[in-house]
Amino acid sequence: MSLKDAAAREATLKTLLDVIDTEYKVARAEVQQLLDAASAETGTRQISAMLPDGTPVATISLSAGSAEARVVDLDVFTAWVVATVAGEIERRFVTEVRPAFTKKLLAELTAAGGTEWADPETGVIHDVPGVAIQPARARGHRVSFTKTGKDQVMAAWRRGQLAGVALPELAEEPEPIRCSRCQGEDGPFTDAGLCEACARPIP
């Protein structure tokens, strides 16, 4: 392949990739919204994805989000550690909680699902200030293809069965050839673009 042909191929594929990526993100967001609504209304958590002819190619399943403990007010959190577990403070030019302690504490609070922490030395239970349980990963969904699902999707695409389902603008029928005089579609056409009828000499 020549450099010119390779460059044209890359530019073409990049254009298609950008279009497909944008459309995929829109489609994924729409599926997520509809799945969330279906889950809230009927408890539906998965649905089968099918080709226009009814062939199932994948299962789309709702996945749960997650939450974790995070420091939301560093000053308040630091003041609590100074007053409660001062040994976990590092003093330089500023007062900071030891990163290892913060990591350990947040992991324990995440596992407990709340902001109460039991001091292992005193047994005192503290409601840790400056920390909150916040969403760490939004609820999403996953697409699980059947064994032959991807091959079936590609075969359907090549047969033109997915026009109107995915990127219809990439599968539009070309404009018909028309006579340059009467605009009729009945060929064959001459080199001048005239149909046989218009190309006949006028008697």
Side-chain angles (χ1 to χ4, degrees), residues 47-127:
I47 188 170
S48 180
M50 295 181 287
L51 296 176
D53 64 3
T55 302
V57 293
T59 299
I60 298 180
S61 308
L62 192 63
S63 58
S66 65
E68 64 183 22
R70 293 179 178 173
V71 175
V72 294
D73 189 326
L74 183 58
D75 291 339
V76 171
F77 175 66
T78 301
W80 173 79
V81 175
V82 168
T84 310
V85 278
E88 298 297 341
I89 291 295
E90 292 181 344
R91 297 187 184 274
R92 302 192 194 98
F93 294 108
V94 294
T95 299
E96 293 181 342
V97 180
R98 296 180 193 276
F101 174 74
T102 300
K103 181 178 179 180
K104 177 177 178 291
L105 176 66
L106 293 179
E108 291 177 6
L109 297 180
T110 296
T115 57
E116 290 188 344
W117 175 71
D119 188 325
E121 293 186 4
T122 65
V124 176
I125 296 177
H126 300 270
D127 188 0

Side-chain angles (χ1 to χ4, degrees), residues 8-177:
R9 183 170 184 265
E10 180 185 0
T12 300
L13 292 174
K14 178 67 168 68
T15 300
L16 296 175
L17 181 64
D18 290 345
V19 172
I20 290 171
D21 184 60
T22 298
E23 291 296 322
Y24 173 73
K25 288 175 180 175
V26 170
R28 185 169 177 82
E30 183 178 13
V31 168
Q32 186 65 51
Q33 181 182 8
L34 294 172
L35 260 179
D36 286 338
S39 175
E41 293 171 8
T42 64
T44 300
R45 297 188 61 82
Q46 69 177 31
I47 188 170
S48 180
M50 295 181 287
L51 296 176
D53 64 3
T55 302
V57 293
T59 299
I60 298 180
S61 308
L62 192 63
S63 58
S66 65
E68 64 183 22
R70 293 179 178 173
V71 175
V72 294
D73 189 326
L74 183 58
D75 291 339
V76 171
F77 175 66
T78 301
W80 173 79
V81 175
V82 168
T84 310
V85 278
E88 298 297 341
I89 291 295
E90 292 181 344
R91 297 187 184 274
R92 302 192 194 98
F93 294 108
V94 294
T95 299
E96 293 181 342
V97 180
R98 296 180 193 276
F101 174 74
T102 300
K103 181 178 179 180
K104 177 177 178 291
L105 176 66
L106 293 179
E108 291 177 6
L109 297 180
T110 296
T115 57
E116 290 188 344
W117 175 71
D119 188 325
E121 293 186 4
T122 65
V124 176
I125 296 177
H126 300 270
D127 188 0
V128 182
V131 174
I133 301 296
Q134 295 186 330
R137 187 181 70 235
R139 184 161 71 166
H141 63 273
R142 65 181 179 278
V143 179
S144 305
F145 284 92
T146 62
K147 187 175 181 179
T148 60
K150 289 186 177 181
D151 291 337
Q152 289 172 314
V153 170
M154 290 306 300
W157 173 260
R158 292 188 185 101
R159 291 193 297 268
Q161 294 177 331
L162 301 186
V165 176
L167 299 180
E169 64 271 22
L170 299 182
E172 289 179 350
E173 292 295 326
E175 285 290 323
I177 299 174

Side-chain angles (χ1 to χ4, degrees), residues 179 181-182 184-190 193-201:
C179 173
R181 180 179 295 166
C182 71
E185 297 179 21
D186 296 329
F189 299 95
T190 66
L194 297 174
C195 65
E196 287 186 324
C198 290
R200 292 194 194 103

